[in-house]
């Protein structure tokens, strides 16, 4: 009850504060989104429930309100209030939520379903911007602490972020990340605590420095360094990550080339460094069709390749559901095609084959095949997404009878931005 009252008071105080700011002549911009999100995931093990059964389905109805203000003297203010509910869908259609507030997967108390996902003040000084508070971090500049957009709402971080563009064609970024909430299925989004790696909670902090340079013609080079403290106890780690994207205008069919790679180095005797590498080729054979081929490899290090704010990876072969096979010890091949029909939306067909890994069982030697079909369309101002995923994998020798060797996912999302 104490948390419910506290959340309600904070939300009410924020709304009242913005109202008073408007009275004082401070310009306030209001934006947001409304979301209906449904997902069902079923495996093919013996006795498992089917797709669309209540036991395999999760859903949310969400409303997000952004309040942004110009405080003058180059100061700006931003806030974001989220409501996550179910509209009672758990009574007959689903068994849980994709995201929740207060630790309860199904709650009918609106006060327990509201949380503040962003609350920050920013100051612009010439070509430098300083942003302090609860905020989103972008994947392009923070590949191991970024806000994932696959769920109902994005995860956010308690952080200090500084961005400078004084150098020609160069963006310098520094960040101190003290914590955040975790993006995952049924994640409790008002629980701003430790960020996590695959080795456990980072009970300390993370410091990040990124340099992005576009001096070379048609080339973007991004290099990032993290110093992460107290990973899985008192162990510190260093993370180095780089990405190079080349898009020459004179190459046929819009050819683009990209490479990525890096290393996670735990400061612990006996621990193994985790090394990763990836390459990607993008083609646009026609104005309506885009094709992508990618390859990534990760060795069997101690700490897996994973975003500390969620469940995804920064790897080129990351798709809707295959992240569990990408963290450790794997070679993954991806093929993707996107066909734009114009007013009828986009059709995306993509697939990966991963060697030497199994979702949820990184010690087994197996192969994962992940096939995905996605349809996106904007109709009546609403963005709709429908996705189907089929996964299958080889079971390790001696697996118990009835052990699942595949699963299917269906995801349906309607999102209205205002």
């Amino acid at each position: 009850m104490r948390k419910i009252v506290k959340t309600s008071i904070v939300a009410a105080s924020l709304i009242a504060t913005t109202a008073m700011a408007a009275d004082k002549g401070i310009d306030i911009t209001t934006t947001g989104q409304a979301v209906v999100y449904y997902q069902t995931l079923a495996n093919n093990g013996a006795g498992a429930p089917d797709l669309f059964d209540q036991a395999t389905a999760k859903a949310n109805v969400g409303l997000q309100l952004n309040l942004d203000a110009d405080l003058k003297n180059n100061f700006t203010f931003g806030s974001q209030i989220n409501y996550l509910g179910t509209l009672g869908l758990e009574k007959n259609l689903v068994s849980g939520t994709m995201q929740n507030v207060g630790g309860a997967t199904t709650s009918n108390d609106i006060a327990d379903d509201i949380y503040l996902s962003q609350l920050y003040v920013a100051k612009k000084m010439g070509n430098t911007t300083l942003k302090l508070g609860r905020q989103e971090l972008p994947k392009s500049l923070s590949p191991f602490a970024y806000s994932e957009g696959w769920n109902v709402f994005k995860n956010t971080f308690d952080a200090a972020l500084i961005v400078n563009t004084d150098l020609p064609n160069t963006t310098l970024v520094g960040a101190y990340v003290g914590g955040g909430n975790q993006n995952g299925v049924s994640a409790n989004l008002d629980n701003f605590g430790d960020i996590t790696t695959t080795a456990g909670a980072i009970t300390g902090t993370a410091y990040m420095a990124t340099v992005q340079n576009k001096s070379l013609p048609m080339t973007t080079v991004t290099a990032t360094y993290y110093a992460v403290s107290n990973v899985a106890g008192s162990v510190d780690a260093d993370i180095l990550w780089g990405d190079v994207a080349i898009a020459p205008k004179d190459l046929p069919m819009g050819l683009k080339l990209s490479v990525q790679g890096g290393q996670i180095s735990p400061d612990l005797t006996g621990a193994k460094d985790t090394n990763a590498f990836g390459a990607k080729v993008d083609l646009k054979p026609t104005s309506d069709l885009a094709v992508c081929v990618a390859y990534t490899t990760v060795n069997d290090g101690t700490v897996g390749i994973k975003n500390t704010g969620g469940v995804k990876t920064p790897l080129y072969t990351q798709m809707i559901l295959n992240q569990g096979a990408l963290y450790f010890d794997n070679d993954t091949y991806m093929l993707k095609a996107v066909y734009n029909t114009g007013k009828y939306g986009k059709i995306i067909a993509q697939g990966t084959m991963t060697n030497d890994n199994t979702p949820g069982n990184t010690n087994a030697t197996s192969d994962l095949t992940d096939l995905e079909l996605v349809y996106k369309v904007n109709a009546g101002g609403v963005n709709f997404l429908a996705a189907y995923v089929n996964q299958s994998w080889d079971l390790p020798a001696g697996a118990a009878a009835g052990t699942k060797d595949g699963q299917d996912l269906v995801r349906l999302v309607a999102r209205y931005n205002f």
Side-chain angles (χ1 to χ4, degrees):
M1 178 63 69
R2 189 173 299 172
K3 178 182 285 188
I4 295 173
V5 173
K6 181 179 179 181
T7 302
S8 301
I9 291 174
V10 170
S13 298
L14 180 59
I15 295 172
T17 301
T18 56
M20 289 187 290
D23 289 339
K24 294 183 178 180
I26 296 177
D27 293 331
I28 298 175
T29 302
T30 302
T31 58
Q33 59 177 313
V35 185
V36 178
Y37 198 114
Y38 172 87
Q39 176 174 295
T40 176
L41 174 67
N43 65 66
N44 58 6
D50 296 327
L51 278 174
F52 303 108
D53 280 1
Q54 183 174 3
T56 63
K58 299 179 183 296
N60 274 110
V61 175
L63 180 63
Q64 183 178 86
L65 181 65
N66 303 306
L67 301 172
D68 299 288
D70 183 352
L71 304 181
K72 302 178 182 180
N73 296 312
N74 290 323
F75 279 94
T76 55
F77 166 81
S79 64
Q80 188 176 77
I81 306 173
N82 290 342
Y83 159 73
L84 281 169
T86 64
L87 291 184
L89 294 173
E90 73 279 2
K91 296 178 180 179
N92 54 12
L93 292 179
V94 302
S95 59
T97 56
M98 291 298 297
Q99 294 176 330
N100 65 77
V101 181
T105 57
T106 54
S107 171
N108 294 318
D109 188 339
I110 190 171
D112 200 33
D113 294 341
I114 295 176
Y115 72 101
L116 296 176
S117 54
Q118 296 196 68
L119 190 66
Y120 61 84
V121 172
K123 168 69 172 178
K124 185 173 178 59
M125 302 161 285
N127 293 321
T128 300
T129 300
L130 176 64
K131 189 174 181 180
L132 304 174
R134 189 165 292 179
Q135 59 189 281
E136 293 180 3
L137 295 177
K139 179 182 178 181
S140 60
L141 297 174
S142 181
F144 282 85
Y146 66 90
S147 299
E148 298 178 351
W150 62 271
N151 213 329
V152 184
F153 297 130
K154 292 182 179 181
N155 55 298
T156 53
F157 298 86
D158 288 325
L161 179 73
I162 186 168
V163 180
N164 177 270
T165 57
D166 278 320
L167 297 177
N169 302 311
T170 302
T171 300
L172 303 176
V173 183
Y176 163 84
V177 183
N181 54 11
Q182 291 294 310
N183 198 351
V185 176
S186 297
N188 178 8
L189 287 188
D190 73 343
N191 182 19
F192 278 81
D194 301 327
I195 53 179
T196 65
T197 68
T198 53
I202 300 174
T203 58
T205 56
Y207 295 88
M208 183 204 76
T210 292
V211 179
Q212 187 174 83
N213 183 270
K214 298 181 180 180
S215 296
L216 296 176
M218 293 163 286
T219 301
T220 300
V221 180
T222 307
T224 301
Y225 167 74
Y226 291 87
V228 181
S229 61
N230 297 353
V231 179
S234 59
V235 180
D236 297 339
D238 295 312
I239 303 175
L240 289 170
W241 193 256
D243 186 286
V244 179
I246 306 172
K249 295 180 180 179
D250 56 347
L251 291 181
M253 294 190 295
L255 178 64
K256 298 179 181 178
L257 306 173
S258 303
V259 293
Q260 65 178 186
Q263 182 180 78
I264 302 176
S265 302
D267 185 15
L268 177 67
T269 301
K272 292 183 178 180
D273 292 347
T274 304
N275 299 294
F277 171 79
K280 182 176 66 165
V281 177
D282 289 283
L283 289 170
K284 200 169 179 61
T286 70
S287 60
D288 299 325
L289 178 65
V291 179
C292 175
V293 178
Y295 165 77
T296 60
T297 181
V298 180
N299 73 340
D300 59 344
T302 301
V303 180
I305 300 295
K306 171 184 170 291
N307 177 27
T308 58
V311 298
K312 304 299 182 181
T313 76
L315 297 171
Y316 294 147
T317 52
Q318 175 69 62
M319 300 202 303
I320 290 177
L321 195 60
N322 68 336
Q323 60 271 359
L326 302 180
Y327 297 150
F328 296 95
D329 191 18
N330 71 88
D331 294 290
T332 300
Y333 306 85
M334 184 191 80
L335 177 62
K336 177 180 180 179
V338 180
Y339 182 70
N340 189 346
T341 68
K343 65 178 181 179
Y344 297 108
K346 292 182 179 180
I347 300 172
I348 303 169
Q350 55 189 12
T352 57
M353 293 184 64
T354 300
N355 299 324
D356 299 329
N357 214 320
T358 299
N361 183 9
T362 57
N363 295 318
T365 298
S366 61
D367 297 326
L368 167 73
T369 300
D370 183 298
L371 301 175
E372 304 182 356
L373 184 63
V374 183
Y375 176 62
K376 296 180 179 181
V377 66
N378 184 295
V382 180
N383 293 313
F384 294 94
L385 178 146
Y388 169 71
V389 179
N390 172 264
Q391 289 188 327
S392 60
W393 55 84
D394 295 340
L395 294 175
T403 302
K404 70 174 183 177
D405 59 1
Q407 59 187 6
D408 297 284
L409 175 144
V410 172
R411 179 177 296 170
L412 304 172
V413 184
R415 195 179 300 269
Y416 175 66
N417 296 294
F418 58 86

